[in-house]
Amino acid sequence: MDVSTPTRAARPFEVTNWLVLSIAVPMTLAYLTTPLLGITDTAVIGQYGDAALLGGLAAGAIVFDVVFTTFNFLRSGTTGLVAQAFGRDDVLEEQAVLWRALAIALVCGLLVVALGPLVNAAGVRFMNPDPRVAEAMHAYVAIRILGAPLSLINYAILGYVLGRGEGGLGLGLQVILNGANIALSVFLGLSLGWGIEGVAWGTVGGEALGALAGFGLLAWRFRNGPRVSLARVFDFPEIMRMVAMNRDIMIRSFSLLAAFALFTRQGAQFGTVTLAANAVLMNFFLIAGYFLDGMATAAEQLAGRAVGARYRPAFRQAVWLTIVWGFGLALALAGVFVLFGDDLVAFIAKAEDVREIASVFLPWAALIAVSGVLAFQMDGVFIGATWSRDMRNMMLLSLAVYLVCLFFLTRAFGNYGLWATLHIFLIVRGISLAAILPARARQTFGS
């Protein structure tokens, strides 16, 4: 049985600009460390002067993008559930959610490892690279997949930390994980000359050190506090609630991946130069995404905490402030992209024909952050409130609209229509969720 004092009554709290930024800013910095991993790995392998190794690294990275996107719910789902328990001042339920997430992470991670040969073969078949690229890709995936349980465990621990609104602590854990990953990849891949295998082992080692730091934090935090019982951790209705929520988030994530994959595929129909130009411009959206994800994380924690506390004023303020800060950030990013976009394009692409096409469509890419900010922010609110079914349904609706626009607009307006379709997709996602938000808030908090 649980050994603890009774759960205290939840107390109202105020959502301030400082509270929003105390979560959003550290997590934005944490998310911005992620691209450094790809840059470092590419730089390490690039020193070998072998295009096949670089191709194998890039292809293998795509495989793991798909694999780990599948299990991203372990981070976001855990954040929402922990935030609600935090809002109720229910320490034991916070722990129970964490241990459930860790159990799911371990089981799913071991399953991924067991299916490693199949994942590897499917990746090679899908990418259909040259034999030497396939060999390098196979070596990279076979090693890195061994770290899957550690990666998913790190997702769960980060979700717990963010659910409690501890953005600075989340940043610290990500710096340890990504910093160790970078250092080990350079040491093993370059200093010891292990090549692509060294980079893969460096990633596994970084995940291991990140998990070790996370468990060290948990051991320190729980050393003298109340302990949750196994009976509560493995409470079947609560496990099923988490599974249902995770399923909805997974469907949402795959729908998002499908939309971006179709964007790339359709761009390829307009020729290699247009495909390359679109790929260069999509870096603007990726950069914006790292900033907007930080604000979405703040929305997750604060909305979830308000729902747990059953305190509508805090929920309303959390929604409003994250919208204001999100749009302010998006407009600032759009301004930077308009002013310096050509310089960024020139830095990424050396081919003159690619740069010319990218310059034509630069305004469309620069404004993508503004079109997408409400979608990011509403995703955060709905994940925090654990309204995952609504988020899933609105994503499927947005994807249906996207497919219709993709069919008609690209035929009528070519690549202009393709970019318009992406903007419409993001706008529909945000507006559709915002439209049902008042009704869901009334159901949760009362009229």
Side-chain angles (χ1 to χ4, degrees), residues 375-390:
F376 277 81
Q377 189 264 354
M378 281 291 137
D379 267 3
V381 170
F382 275 69
I383 287 173
T386 61
W387 299 331
S388 60
R389 183 174 60 180
D390 294 317

Side-chain angles (χ1 to χ4, degrees), residues 242-407:
M242 178 175 274
V243 168
M245 181 182 180
N246 292 342
R247 176 202 62 210
D248 294 336
I249 295 174
M250 186 187 301
I251 293 172
R252 167 257 188 195
S253 297
F254 271 119
S255 298
L256 195 59
L257 274 178
F260 289 127
L262 288 170
F263 179 89
T264 301
R265 181 182 181 278
Q266 185 59 49
Q269 309 309 306
F270 301 135
T272 302
V273 176
T274 299
L275 172 65
N278 285 349
V280 169
L281 292 174
M282 279 302 289
N283 283 285
F284 289 38
F285 184 59
L286 293 176
I287 293 170
Y290 290 122
F291 285 91
L292 297 178
D293 269 337
M295 198 57 62
T297 299
E300 284 179 38
Q301 199 280 332
L302 296 172
R305 181 179 173 187
V307 168
R310 290 294 186 268
Y311 189 52
R312 188 166 189 169
F315 181 82
R316 187 182 299 114
Q317 196 69 0
V319 173
W320 170 247
L321 287 181
T322 53
I323 285 177
V324 170
W325 279 104
F327 271 105
L329 181 60
L331 288 169
L333 287 169
V336 170
F337 291 153
V338 168
L339 291 174
F340 302 105
D342 284 325
D343 294 329
L344 180 59
V345 168
F347 176 77
I348 296 173
K350 302 304 179 185
E352 187 62 34
D353 52 353
V354 172
R355 289 162 62 175
E356 288 178 1
I357 295 295
S359 181
V360 171
F361 293 97
L362 175 60
W364 291 86
L367 292 173
I368 201 75
V370 180
S371 296
V373 62
L374 191 60
F376 277 81
Q377 189 264 354
M378 281 291 137
D379 267 3
V381 170
F382 275 69
I383 287 173
T386 61
W387 299 331
S388 60
R389 183 174 60 180
D390 294 317
M391 185 180 64
R392 176 202 67 195
N393 292 343
M394 294 305 101
M395 172 59 84
L396 293 175
L397 170 65
S398 302
L399 183 62
V401 172
Y402 176 80
L403 293 174
V404 172
C405 291
L406 191 69
F407 182 82

